[in-house]
Structure formats: structure tokens, C-alpha cells
Amino acid sequence: MTADADVDPSEYDALEDADVTMRENDHGLHIADDEVTGVSSQGQTPEEALANLAAAVESYTEATDDDPGDDWL
């Protein structure tokens, strides 16, 4: 991870193998990017951006999972 040393992506299971970059835009929003999946999220604080990114990566992973989910058959 780069930019903000106060936040730790490894605290989130969804970001365990992520390469996270943090940045701040011109409006003061913190943006977290997962370089592996290409998923980004934002928040008012770096911690919030990272938590939002973890949720977004988890959703992305579930949506792109190759498991057809045939358990219901």
C-alpha cells in the first residue's frame, strides 16, 4: 500500500491479497484503489475509504466467482 501509513488493508479479509493505493482528490475525499481488481472506493477519511473498498472488493469477488452456485439444485 502507498500514501497513508495509518490505514492497514490487511485488517480486512477482502483486501488480504490486495495492492491498495490511497490518494486524496481536490475535494478532500480519500480514494482507495485495489490495483489487482481495478475496484476503487472513496470516503471522508482514509479508514472509511478502505472499509468501503473492502466491501466493494468483496462484492466484486462474489460477482465474478466461477462457482455456479448449483447448491440449490
Side-chain angles (χ1 to χ4, degrees):
M1 188 180 98
T2 61
D4 199 319
D6 293 339
V7 292
D8 183 8
S10 66
E11 294 177 11
Y12 300 91
D13 290 339
L15 301 178
E16 185 175 71
D17 296 325
D19 180 13
V20 177
T21 346
M22 298 290 295
R23 56 194 165 93
E24 187 173 347
N25 71 10
D26 295 338
H27 304 286
L29 284 174
H30 297 271
I31 302 168
D33 302 303
D34 177 8
E35 303 298 331
V36 175
T37 62
V39 174
S40 297
S41 195
Q42 64 185 20
Q44 296 295 322
T45 65
E47 294 81 8
E48 185 180 330
L50 198 58
N52 291 341
L53 179 64
V57 167
E58 186 174 338
S59 293
Y60 172 86
T61 303
E62 288 173 4
T64 59
D65 188 5
D66 288 336
D67 183 5
D70 290 340
D71 294 342
W72 60 274
L73 292 177

